[in-house]
Amino acid sequence: CPIAVPGDPKVPVLYEVERTRTGKSFSVRSVKAIQHGKPIFTCQASFQLSQGSPVQHQFTMPSVPPPEDLLTQEELIQKFLQNPNLAERYRKHLTKIQAEDVPIDIKPVNPPDTFCLEPQEPKQFFWVRARGYIGETDMKVHCCVAAYISDYAFLGTALLPHRQYHIKLMVSLDHSMWFHAPFRADHWMLYECESPWAGGCRGLVQGRLWRRDGVLAVTCAQEGVIRVQEMPNQSKL
């Protein structure tokens, strides 16, 4: 799903749908989202009738602590803000994150003890779920919610080894998703994110959404533009 230009939430979106292919078991639709007479987003969606097959395998779900044993992102931020030695620029950054109204419950699996910007391996794990109750509804609703969830903090995984830089621009170029098994977006799922490569002002990230029972429900991939500038050398506190 390539993104052309940012959308305007105050303006209605016109969707043009092309029936690219209609087969016996697979169908493809191409969608163009238009605002102000210009395309802001294009999407190609592939649909398949449910079919059984003896050819089945998946990766093994990573072994991590359950969400009940972890703090939410809000609780972690509050913990960091209580540190009297936290530098003011970091305090402002965390306060800005705290003020965001994010409709997702997020529990980082391996958060640092204190807020810092030390380089890390380009891999992270979150327990995620939609806030509120969605229930046993059309699976397409849960897929839409998972698409929203999948974009949160995804591209930022590519920046974990490069935290000495200040982000000037970070925006998605394309975002792909493959839905493998039914799931509930309002139930806890483990989001495994990793970045195998970054360079040339671009970053590539891959992600997997796991159900709690170990079933791989969704696979994601995203490429984005990343432009940075080096930050002044300051204390990490």
Side-chain angles (χ1 to χ4, degrees), residues 19-29 47-49:
R19 297 176 180 268
T20 309
R21 180 181 184 275
T22 301
K24 293 182 178 179
S25 58
F26 286 88
S27 294
V28 178
R29 300 291 183 263
F47 302 92
Q48 179 194 6
L49 292 175

Side-chain angles (χ1 to χ4, degrees), residues 127-149:
W127 285 105
V128 293
R129 69 179 179 186
R131 288 181 174 167
Y133 176 79
I134 299 176
E136 298 287 351
T137 185
D138 191 321
M139 188 61 212
K140 291 190 288 292
V141 175
H142 289 282
C143 289
C144 290
V145 175
Y148 181 93
I149 291 174

Side-chain angles (χ1 to χ4, degrees), residues 20-150:
T20 309
R21 180 181 184 275
T22 301
K24 293 182 178 179
S25 58
F26 286 88
S27 294
V28 178
R29 300 291 183 263
S30 298
V31 182
K32 184 186 296 183
I34 299 173
Q35 282 186 331
H36 304 295
K38 297 181 179 179
I40 62 170
F41 172 87
T42 58
C43 170
Q44 184 167 334
S46 175
F47 302 92
Q48 179 194 6
L49 292 175
S50 180
Q51 295 175 302
S53 171
V55 180
Q56 298 184 52
H57 74 269
Q58 66 164 53
F59 283 173
T60 301
M61 180 179 178
S63 179
V64 301
E68 291 78 15
D69 294 349
L70 301 170
L71 297 177
T72 65
Q73 180 170 273
E74 289 84 355
E75 291 169 335
L76 284 168
I77 290 176
Q78 193 58 41
K79 174 185 173 183
F80 297 151
L81 290 174
Q82 290 174 356
N83 182 353
N85 297 319
L86 185 69
E88 186 59 29
R89 65 191 181 104
Y90 297 144
R91 189 176 299 278
K92 289 181 179 179
H93 175 67
L94 290 173
T95 302
K96 181 180 178 181
I97 296 175
Q98 190 180 44
E100 293 176 352
D101 185 17
V102 180
I104 312 169
D105 286 324
I106 304 164
K107 291 193 173 185
V109 171
N110 293 308
D113 291 332
T114 58
F115 180 74
C116 64
L117 293 179
E118 295 296 330
Q120 299 178 24
E121 181 185 6
K123 189 164 187 173
Q124 54 186 340
F125 298 90
F126 305 94
W127 285 105
V128 293
R129 69 179 179 186
R131 288 181 174 167
Y133 176 79
I134 299 176
E136 298 287 351
T137 185
D138 191 321
M139 188 61 212
K140 291 190 288 292
V141 175
H142 289 282
C143 289
C144 290
V145 175
Y148 181 93
I149 291 174
S150 72

Side-chain angles (χ1 to χ4, degrees), residues 57-59 61-62 128 139-151 154 175-185 187 189-194 206-222:
H57 74 269
Q58 66 164 53
F59 283 173
M61 180 179 178
V128 293
M139 188 61 212
K140 291 190 288 292
V141 175
H142 289 282
C143 289
C144 290
V145 175
Y148 181 93
I149 291 174
S150 72
D151 196 44
F154 195 21
H175 190 115
S176 301
M177 300 186 72
W178 296 265
F179 298 96
H180 310 306
F183 60 91
R184 286 274 300 270
H187 288 180
M189 292 192 294
L190 179 67
Y191 195 17
E192 177 186 8
C193 305
E194 58 186 352
Q206 299 168 341
R208 289 179 280 273
L209 277 167
W210 300 87
R211 293 189 335 205
R212 289 196 68 168
D213 60 1
V215 171
L216 178 59
V218 185
T219 297
C220 316
Q222 187 179 80

